[in-house]
C-alpha cells in the first residue's frame, strides 16, 4: 500500500474529517506540492478521534502527535476542517523557508530574485558563451564585439560533406529535413544552408521526396518534432541496437 | 638544395634581412565542425592561439615608422599604442601597401602568461567541461611536458612503433577526432592508394616471423643460424593465409594498420570514473598508455612553447616574511557567472585565458557569500567582479587551446599579495590577517577560502620511483 493510499484510508477512519478527506483526494497534487514533508508528517496536526482504537491508523497518528513541537496546536483542541487545512499550509510554508523567520526569508529571496533577473538582463547583453581555453583581449569584451556574437553567422562549411551522410537516404529523417526548410516549409537557399551545389540539389530532392510521399507536411516542420520540442526531448531518435534487419525478416 | 648552391650577394642580403625572419602563418584554430550549421561567431575575435608572428621595434625606430619592413608604416596608427606589437598579414599586397594589424592581443597574453610562472603539463586525463571531471581537478600528480621520457621532437622511424605511447607527433590522424565525412575522404584519398604498399609491409612482417621460427629451429638443431629475412621469398599463398588470419584477429589487424599508417593511439575517455566514489570505494591509480589517447594528440609541442618551467616546486621569497608556502595568487576576472537554469558554468579569465572556476569542495563552490561573484552579476562593481585564484599548471589540448588548472587562493596569500601591491597593510597587524571581511562589496570582489588548500605535486621526488606516465582513476570495489 502506498503512502497516499494509506493517508486516504486513514482519513476515512476519522468520521468527522470525511469532507476533508474528500477534499484531499480531489487535490492530492496541491497538498503534495505545498508540503515538503511526508503526508504522514503533515497529518500530525489532526486531532485524533476518540473512537480510534489501537489497531487502526488513527492511533498511530495520535502517537505521532506526542513528540511534536510546541508550535503545533494541542491535540485536545478541536479544529474545523478549514483550520486544519490552514495548519497544513502554514507548516509547509514554514518548512519551505528553512532557518530564520518567514519575513526575512521573503526579503532575502526577493533580493535574490532581483539579482538573478539583473544577472540575466546583463548576461543577455553578453551573448558570447566563453569556453575554457578561449583567449581574450579587452576588445573582445566590447559592445561592438558582443553584437557580432548576437548574430547568427551563415554556415561556412558543407555540413553534409562533414557528416558524410547521403541526403537521399535520409528522406525519413524529419529533423534533418527541418534544418533545411523555412518555417513556411520552403526549401532554404544554398546561401542559407552553406551547401555546395551537389549537396544542395540532393537535399532539395530529399525534401521534395518526403513531401511527395506524403510523410512530411509541406507547410512546416513535422509535427513529431513539435511534440518533442514541447516535451523537451531530443530532436532525433537514437537508433536502437535491437532493430536489426534480421528481426524484420524473421 | 638552396644551402648547397652559392648565394648571390643580393640573395644573401635578403636572407639576412628581417623580412625573411617572418615565418609562414600557421592554420587558424579548428572550429567546431559539427556546429557549422548554426554558429554564433565573430570573425574579429581573438583567436585561441596566434597564427602570425608578432613583431616589435625600438621606440626610436617606431617614431620614424621603421619596423624593418619594405616601407615605413603610418605613424598615426602605429605610435599610439603603449606596446609596439604588430602582426603583418602581407608584406606587400596587390594594392602596394603593407597589410598590418595590432598584435598586442597575443603578444601581451604571452607576457602575462609568463608572469604567472606556471609549468605546462601533458594533458590530464579526461578534461570534459560538461561531465564530472575528476582527474585534472583533484590535484593529482602531473607530468611536465618536458619530462625526458615523453618529450620527443625527432623520432627514429625504426623506433616509432615502440614509442607509440610516449610521443605526441603522428603522421596519421587520430581516428576518434574525425567526422565521418572526413574519414571517408581520408580513406579514399590517402589509404586506398597505399594498398600495394601495405601488402609489401605485411610481407616484411611475414618474413620477420619466418626468420624468428627459422632461428629457433636452427638453434634447436645446432645448425648455422640464418641471418636475413627475405620478403621476396614470401609466396602469395602465404600472404593470403596471413590475411585470412588477420581478418579474425581485430586487435592484431588494428596494430598493424596503426603501425603502417602511424595512427595516433585511441582510448575511451575515463570521464565519470569518480561518479561512484563513496566511502567504501577504493580508488587505485594505474598507469594508462599514451596521455593523448583519450583526447587526441596536440597540434603543437605539448608545451606550445609557452613556458619552459619543468616544475612548480620552487619557493617564492617574500622580502619581509621569507619563503612562502604557496606562489602568489592572481586576480581573475569573472567572465560570466554561473547560470544553472540554462546550464551555463561560471568562467573566469586569468591573464587573458578563460578557464573554469576552481573545482571541488572550495569556497567558490560553496553556497553563500564566498561564491557571490560567481553566482550573480553586480553592475555596480567598477571594473567587474574579480576573484583571487591560485594557478597550478597549464596544459595544451588537442585543438591547441590552453587549459589552466586553478584552485582557490588562501586568504593569507591574498593579503600578502595585496600588501605587495600597496593596497593593504598587514605587517605587524596580526588581527587583520585573522579578521574576516564582512562587507557585501568586499565579498563580491574577493572571497575567502576556508577549504583546505593543496598545491599540485608535479615532477617532485615523490613522483619518482612510481614509474607512471599518467595517472588514471580506476574505482574498484572493496575486497
Amino acid at each position: 500500500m502506498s503512502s497516499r493510499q494509506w493517508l486516504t484510508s486513514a482519513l476515512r477512519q476519522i468520521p468527522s474529517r470525511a469532507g476533508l478527506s474528500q477534499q484531499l483526494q480531489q487535490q492530492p497534487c496541491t497538498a503534495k506540492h505545498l508540503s515538503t514533508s511526508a503526508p504522514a508528517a503533515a497529518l500530525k496536526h489532526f486531532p485524533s478521534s476518540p473512537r480510534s482504537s489501537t489497531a487502526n491508523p488513527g492511533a498511530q497518528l495520535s502517537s505521532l502527535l506526542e513528540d511534536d513541537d510546541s508550535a503545533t496546536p494541542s491535540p485536545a483542541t478541536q479544529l474545523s476542517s478549514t483550520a486544519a487545512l490552514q495548519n497544513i499550509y502554514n507548516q509547509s510554508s514554514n518548512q519551505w523557508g528553512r532557518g530564520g523567520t518567514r519575513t526575512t526569508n521573503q526579503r532575502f529571496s526577493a533580493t535574490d530574485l532581483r539579482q538573478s533577473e539583473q544577472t540575466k538582463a546583463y548576461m543577455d547583453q553578453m551573448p558570447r558563451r566563453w569556453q575554457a581555453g578561449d583567449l581574450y583581449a579587452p576588445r573582445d569584451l566590447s559592445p561592438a564585439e558582443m553584437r557580432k556574437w548576437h548574430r547568427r553567422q551563415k554556415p561556412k562549411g558543407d555540413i553534409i560533406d562533414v557528416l558524410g551522410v547521403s541526403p537521399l537516404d535520409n528522406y525519413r529523417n524529419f529533423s534533418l529535413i527541418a534544418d533545411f526548410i523555412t518555417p513556411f516549409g520552403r526549401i532554404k537557399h544554398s546561401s542559407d544552408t552553406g551547401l555546395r551545389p551537389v549537396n544542395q540539389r540532393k537535399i532539395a530532392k530529399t525534401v521534395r521526396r518526403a513531401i511527395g510521399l506524403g510523410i512530411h507536411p509541406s507547410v512546416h516542420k513535422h509535427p513529431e518534432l513539435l511534440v518533442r520540442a514541447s516535451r523537451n526531448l531530443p530532436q532525433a531518435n537514437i537508433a536502437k541496437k535491437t532493430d536489426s534487419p534480421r528481426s524484420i525478416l524473421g | 638544395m638552396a644551402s648547397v648552391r652559392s648565394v648571390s650577394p643580393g640573395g644573401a642580403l635578403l636572407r639576412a634581412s628581417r623580412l625573411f625572419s617572418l615565418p609562414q602563418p600557421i592554420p587558424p584554430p579548428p572550429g567546431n565542425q559539427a556546429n557549422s550549421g548554426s554558429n554564433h561567431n565573430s570573425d574579429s575575435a581573438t583567436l585561441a592561439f596566434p597564427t602570425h608572428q608578432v613583431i616589435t621595434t625600438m621606440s626610436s625606430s617606431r617614431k620614424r615608422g621603421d619596423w624593418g619592413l619594405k616601407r615605413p608604416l603610418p605613424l598615426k596608427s602605429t605610435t599610439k599604442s603603449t606596446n609596439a606589437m604588430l602582426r603583418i598579414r602581407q608584406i606587400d599586397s596587390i594594392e602596394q601597401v603593407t597589410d598590418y594589424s595590432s598584435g598586442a592581443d597575443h603578444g601581451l597574453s604571452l607576457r602575462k602568461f609568463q608572469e604567472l610562472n606556471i609549468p605546462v603539463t601533458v594533458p590530464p586525463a579526461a578534461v570534459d567541461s560538461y561531465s564530472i571531471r575528476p582527474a585534472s581537478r583533484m590535484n593529482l600528480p602531473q607530468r611536465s611536458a618536458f619530462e625526458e621520457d615523453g618529450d620527443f621532437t625527432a623520432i627514429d622511424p625504426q623506433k616509432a612503433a615502440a614509442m607509440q605511447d610516449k610521443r605526441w607527433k603522428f603522421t596519421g590522424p587520430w581516428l576518434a577526432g574525425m567526422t565521418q565525412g572526413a574519414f571517408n575522404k581520408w580513406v579514399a584519398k590517402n589509404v586506398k592508394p597505399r594498398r600495394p604498399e601495405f601488402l609489401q609491409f605485411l610481407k616484411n612482417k611475414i618474413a620477420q616471423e619466418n626468420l624468428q621460427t627459422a632461428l629457433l629451429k636452427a638453434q634447436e638443431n645446432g645448425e648455422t643460424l640464418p641471418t636475413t629475412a627475405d620478403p621476396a621469398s614470401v609466396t602469395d599463398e602465404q600472404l593470403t593465409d596471413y590475411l585470412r588470419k588477420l581478418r579474425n584477429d581485430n586487435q592484431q589487424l588494428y596494430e598493424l594498420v596503426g603501425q603502417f599508417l602511424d595512427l595516433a593511439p585511441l582510448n575511451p575517455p575515463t570521464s565519470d570514473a569518480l561518479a561512484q566514489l563513496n566511502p567504501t570505494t577504493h580508488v587505485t591509480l594505474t598507469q594508462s598508455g599514451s596521455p593523448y589517447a583519450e583526447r587526441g594528440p596536440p597540434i603543437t609541442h605539448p608545451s606550445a612553447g609557452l613556458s619552459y618551467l619543468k616544475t612548480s616546486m620552487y619557493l617564492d621569497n617574500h622580502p619581509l616574511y621569507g619563503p612562502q608556502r604557496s606562489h602568489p595568487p592572481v586576480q581573475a576576472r569573472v567572465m560570466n557567472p554561473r547560470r544553472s537554469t540554462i546550464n551555463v558554468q561560471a568562467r573566469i579569465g586569468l591573464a587573458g585565458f578563460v578557464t573554469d572556476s576552481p573545482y571541488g569542495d572550495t569556497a567558490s563552490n560553496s553556497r553563500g557569500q564566498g561564491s557571490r561573484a560567481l553566482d550573480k552579476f553586480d553592475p555596480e562593481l567598477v571594473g567587474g567582479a574579480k576573484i583571487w585564484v591560485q594557478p597550478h599548471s597549464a596544459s595544451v589540448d588537442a585543438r591547441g587551446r590552453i587549459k589552466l588548472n586553478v584552485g582557490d587562493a588562501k586568504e593569507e596569500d591574498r593579503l600578502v599579495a595585496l600588501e605587495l601591491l600597496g593596497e593593504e597593510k598587514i605587517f605587524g597587524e596580526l588581527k587583520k590577517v585573522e579578521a574576516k571581511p564582512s562587507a557585501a562589496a568586499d565579498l563580491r570582489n574577493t572571497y575567502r577560502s576556508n577549504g583546505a588548500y593543496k598545491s599540485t605535486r608535479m615532477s617532485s621526488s615523490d613522483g619518482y620511483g612510481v614509474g607512471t606516465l599518467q595517472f588514471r582513476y580506476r574505482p574498484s570495489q572493496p575486497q
Side-chain angles (χ1 to χ4, degrees):
Chain A
M1 189 189 272
S2 78
S3 62
R4 191 180 293 164
Q5 282 169 327
W6 180 84
L7 164 72
T8 47
S9 65
L11 284 168
R12 280 198 200 100
Q13 296 288 322
I14 310 166
S16 59
R17 305 285 163 253
L20 177 63
S21 80
Q22 208 176 357
Q23 260 177 311
L24 271 181
Q25 269 177 322
Q26 278 164 358
Q27 295 178 325
C29 295
T30 328
K32 204 181 169 195
H33 279 302
L34 282 174
S35 170
T36 53
S37 62
L43 270 177
K44 281 183 195 173
H45 299 279
F46 289 106
S48 59
S49 161
R51 272 176 57 194
S52 62
S53 68
T54 48
N56 74 18
Q60 289 173 36
L61 285 179
S62 61
S63 67
L64 276 172
L65 281 166
E66 278 159 20
D67 53 17
D68 213 340
D69 53 0
S70 57
T72 54
S74 72
T77 322
Q78 289 291 322
L79 290 172
S80 69
S81 58
T82 329
L85 252 189
Q86 187 65 42
N87 264 335
I88 294 177
Y89 179 75
N90 282 347
Q91 199 208 11
S92 61
S93 56
N94 272 338
Q95 281 168 344
W96 200 269
R98 264 161 271 161
T101 60
R102 202 177 152 194
T103 44
T104 50
N105 274 326
Q106 265 180 341
R107 204 182 306 138
F108 178 70
S109 60
T111 325
D112 232 32
L113 203 64
R114 197 171 61 243
Q115 279 177 343
S116 295
E117 285 297 308
Q118 202 176 36
T119 303
K120 184 181 174 297
Y122 275 96
M123 286 302 114
D124 284 349
Q125 304 297 312
M126 296 180 68
R128 182 164 180 185
R129 298 270 175 271
W130 295 99
Q131 300 298 322
D134 280 346
L135 192 60
Y136 70 93
R139 186 186 40 127
D140 288 300
L141 306 172
S142 67
E145 195 68 27
M146 283 303 165
R147 243 171 269 136
K148 288 189 176 178
W149 287 90
H150 260 305
R151 282 198 294 270
R152 194 179 192 149
Q153 307 280 326
K154 280 181 183 161
K156 277 175 194 151
D158 188 328
I159 189 71
I160 298 297
D161 274 354
V162 168
L163 294 177
V165 294
S166 157
L168 292 174
D169 292 347
N170 278 283
Y171 64 94
R172 291 186 304 171
N173 186 345
F174 302 141
S175 58
L176 180 94
I177 291 174
D179 283 343
F180 293 101
I181 60 173
T182 66
F184 281 92
R186 296 163 71 192
I187 298 167
K188 275 189 191 167
H189 192 255
S190 61
S191 62
D192 296 323
T193 58
L195 300 180
R196 64 194 175 99
V198 172
N199 285 334
Q200 177 69 22
R201 285 198 296 272
K202 284 181 182 168
I203 279 288
K205 188 160 194 168
T206 307
V207 177
R208 286 199 303 272
R209 182 178 281 180
I211 293 170
L213 278 172
I215 57 174
H216 196 282
S218 62
V219 289
H220 195 60
K221 290 178 196 172
H222 198 276
E224 193 184 315
L225 296 182
L226 304 179
V227 170
R228 282 178 167 273
S230 68
R231 288 180 191 165
N232 257 344
L233 289 169
Q235 287 286 290
N237 270 327
I238 293 145
K240 286 172 194 160
K241 278 186 181 172
T242 49
D243 299 341
S244 61
R246 188 177 290 170
S247 66
I248 297 167
L249 293 172
Chain B
M1 290 293 284
S3 58
V4 179
R5 226 165 36 207
S6 63
V7 183
S8 68
L13 185 69
L14 278 175
R15 269 157 197 272
S17 77
R18 286 189 64 184
L19 215 63
F20 278 80
S21 68
L22 277 183
Q24 284 291 312
I26 58 171
N32 191 356
Q33 279 188 311
N35 265 352
S36 62
S38 61
N39 46 355
H40 292 265
N41 220 330
S42 163
D43 49 354
S44 54
T46 305
L47 297 177
F49 57 77
T51 56
H52 291 69
Q53 170 99 48
V54 173
I55 63 165
T56 184
T57 188
M58 259 82 73
S59 63
S60 56
S61 304
R62 185 157 73 133
K63 273 176 204 152
R64 283 179 275 115
D66 179 10
W67 289 76
L69 297 171
K70 186 178 173 182
R71 54 177 75 82
L73 297 183
L75 300 182
K76 200 174 176 184
S77 59
T78 57
T79 50
K80 276 181 188 163
S81 167
T82 317
N83 306 290
M85 289 177 182
L86 283 190
R87 184 182 296 134
I88 308 297
R89 288 226 182 84
Q90 261 183 307
I91 286 176
D92 205 7
S93 68
I94 198 157
E95 295 88 1
Q96 297 194 328
V97 290
T98 303
D99 187 0
Y100 67 93
S101 60
S102 168
D105 44 4
H106 289 118
L108 280 184
S109 293
L110 177 65
R111 270 194 205 162
K112 287 188 281 183
F113 183 87
Q114 284 166 346
E115 267 184 48
L116 292 181
N117 257 338
I118 51 174
V120 184
T121 66
V122 294
V127 184
D128 190 350
S129 49
Y130 287 108
S131 71
I132 315 150
R133 50 256 123 136
S136 62
R137 320 295 181 197
M138 297 295 290
N139 273 333
L140 283 180
Q142 289 174 19
R143 300 286 282 191
S144 163
F146 293 107
E147 286 292 335
E148 273 171 31
D149 53 4
D151 183 22
F152 298 109
T153 43
I155 302 147
D156 182 6
Q158 302 296 321
K159 293 176 186 168
M163 291 188 205
Q164 171 89 355
D165 280 347
K166 304 203 168 172
R167 63 205 168 101
W168 53 270
K169 202 169 189 179
F170 302 90
T171 50
W174 185 62
L175 293 183
M178 288 178 108
T179 61
Q180 187 64 42
F183 177 75
N184 293 346
K185 215 166 156 184
W186 173 71
V187 167
K189 203 180 165 194
N190 298 352
V191 180
K192 275 188 182 160
R194 296 185 67 188
R195 206 174 264 169
E197 212 181 313
F198 182 61
L199 292 180
Q200 189 57 45
F201 171 79
L202 286 185
K203 274 187 179 174
N204 286 343
K205 283 275 161 199
I206 298 168
Q208 284 292 338
E209 278 182 17
N210 287 348
L211 178 68
Q212 290 302 321
T213 46
L215 270 174
L216 211 67
K217 205 175 172 188
Q219 264 181 345
E220 280 174 1
N221 299 344
E223 295 162 1
T224 49
L225 300 179
T227 47
T228 51
D230 185 17
S233 67
V234 178
T235 59
D236 282 352
E237 207 170 301
Q238 273 178 312
L239 182 65
T240 318
D241 280 347
Y242 191 70
L243 280 175
R244 280 190 186 132
K245 214 165 66 185
L246 275 186
R247 271 179 206 152
N248 292 320
D249 189 355
N250 269 340
Q251 187 60 34
Q252 175 73 1
L253 180 63
Y254 173 72
E255 267 166 30
L256 285 175
V257 170
Q259 255 180 48
F260 177 68
L261 297 171
D262 197 21
L263 298 178
L266 288 170
N267 241 1
T270 49
S271 55
D272 52 352
L274 275 192
Q276 314 102 358
L277 189 62
N278 58 50
T280 57
T281 315
H282 285 261
V283 168
T284 48
L285 293 169
T286 50
Q287 182 179 3
S288 74
S290 167
Y292 311 108
E294 290 181 5
R295 303 280 153 176
I299 51 177
T300 62
H301 182 271
S303 78
L306 278 172
S307 164
Y308 295 97
L309 281 178
K310 206 170 172 185
T311 172
S312 57
M313 306 303 274
Y314 58 89
L315 279 182
D316 279 284
N317 196 37
H318 191 277
L320 287 176
Y321 310 124
Q324 299 288 298
R325 188 185 165 212
S326 44
H327 303 310
V330 184
Q331 246 188 337
R333 177 182 301 282
V334 179
M335 302 303 288
N336 60 275
R338 61 172 79 96
R339 292 170 69 195
S340 48
T341 47
I342 54 169
N343 199 15
V344 171
Q345 314 252 334
R347 305 253 190 254
I348 57 174
L350 198 67
F353 295 89
V354 179
T355 185
D356 296 323
S357 54
Y359 281 89
D361 188 15
T362 59
S364 45
N365 282 336
S366 61
R367 291 199 86 146
Q369 299 288 24
S371 60
R372 271 206 95 70
L374 293 172
D375 282 337
K376 297 274 153 39
F377 178 82
D378 188 353
E380 285 159 29
L381 265 173
V382 179
K386 287 179 185 137
I387 59 171
W388 285 87
V389 293
Q390 184 77 55
H392 294 314
S393 63
S395 62
V396 183
D397 76 353
R399 293 202 286 162
R401 296 155 72 89
I402 314 300
K403 300 283 175 72
L404 294 179
N405 182 14
V406 299
D408 270 345
K410 273 199 300 181
E411 172 65 7
E412 290 81 4
D413 293 339
R414 187 185 73 82
L415 286 173
V416 169
L418 278 175
E419 193 183 33
L420 274 178
L421 291 172
E423 292 170 14
E424 189 82 55
K425 195 181 174 303
I426 51 166
F427 186 64
E429 295 180 40
L430 196 64
K431 273 183 187 170
K432 210 174 224 173
V433 183
E434 287 165 353
K436 297 177 181 179
S438 52
D442 281 354
L443 287 163
R444 260 175 231 148
N445 215 356
T446 56
Y447 68 89
R448 288 177 48 81
S449 156
N450 45 22
Y453 168 77
K454 293 173 284 182
S455 72
T456 311
R457 205 176 66 211
M458 219 188 98
S459 302
S460 68
S461 58
D462 302 11
Y464 295 144
V466 182
T468 48
L469 254 183
Q470 171 83 28
F471 292 102
R472 195 205 287 182
Y473 268 122
R474 280 257 175 80
S476 60
Q477 293 306 312
Q479 279 92 33

